[in-house]
Amino acid sequence: MRTRIEIKKLNEKAIIPTYGTEFSAGADIYALLDEPVTIAPGETVFIHTGIAIAIPEGLVGLNFARSGMAAKRGLAPANKVGVIDSDYRGEVMVALHNHGKEPQTVEHGDRVAQMVFVPYYAADFVEVDELDSTVRGEGGFGSTGTK
């Protein structure tokens, strides 16, 4: 299934997101940098992309880590999943965090995240005196075991 996403280049050197394969869920998001940026271990740097997008109402853009960059270089979005709402029209940025033990350099054109478009429901919160009961009940972290 495909949907139309309008995109605006905010800088002529910006790279439009691309899909790695025909069935990729995430579109690769590219760094827009004038010069390479080195991210120290434990440091977070905001990476420009030079693009703004118009996500249709009812969808949200979720920016996830790229598996190779995260597993091999320790670089992943600092907020784990970046949320881009359908009414946001500013530049898409990636808060890239170095989880590793070595400095990592990001260059212009590097793929720094992948964006997945997902439908969502907005909630109408209704206060009630009691909630329905379930087998799990109030069991929280670890309440269902490990095996």
Side-chain angles (χ1 to χ4, degrees):
M1 185 164 75
R2 298 190 74 82
T3 191
R4 177 186 165 101
I5 303 289
E6 294 180 352
I7 191 163
K8 178 180 179 181
K9 279 189 171 186
L10 305 173
N11 182 300
E12 65 183 26
K13 294 190 292 184
I15 302 170
I16 301 294
T18 62
Y19 289 96
T21 68
E22 180 183 0
F23 297 109
S24 295
D28 291 327
I29 304 297
Y30 295 85
L32 172 70
L33 299 170
D34 291 326
E35 57 189 36
V37 171
T38 299
I39 306 172
E43 182 181 26
T44 299
V45 173
F46 286 91
I47 303 293
H48 289 268
T49 66
I51 60 168
I53 58 177
I55 300 173
E57 183 179 347
L59 294 179
V60 61
L62 300 177
N63 272 351
F64 293 98
R66 295 195 70 255
S67 58
M69 181 173 265
K72 295 176 183 174
R73 298 181 59 195
L75 294 174
N79 51 347
K80 306 305 177 205
V81 179
V83 176
I84 303 171
D85 297 307
S86 63
D87 59 349
Y88 177 67
R89 294 295 182 271
E91 181 180 10
V92 173
M93 302 279 285
V94 177
L96 204 56
H97 183 79
N98 184 349
H99 295 275
K101 295 179 180 176
E102 300 293 328
Q104 295 293 326
T105 300
V106 177
E107 298 184 16
H108 174 75
D110 283 353
R111 296 173 293 170
V112 292
Q114 58 181 325
M115 186 181 301
V116 177
F117 298 98
V118 179
Y120 68 91
Y121 291 96
D124 293 320
F125 297 100
V126 179
E127 185 177 1
V128 297
D129 292 328
E130 297 292 328
L131 298 176
D132 63 326
S133 62
T134 65
V135 172
R136 182 175 183 171
E138 295 181 19
F141 295 106
S143 67
T144 61
T146 59
K147 296 190 185 245

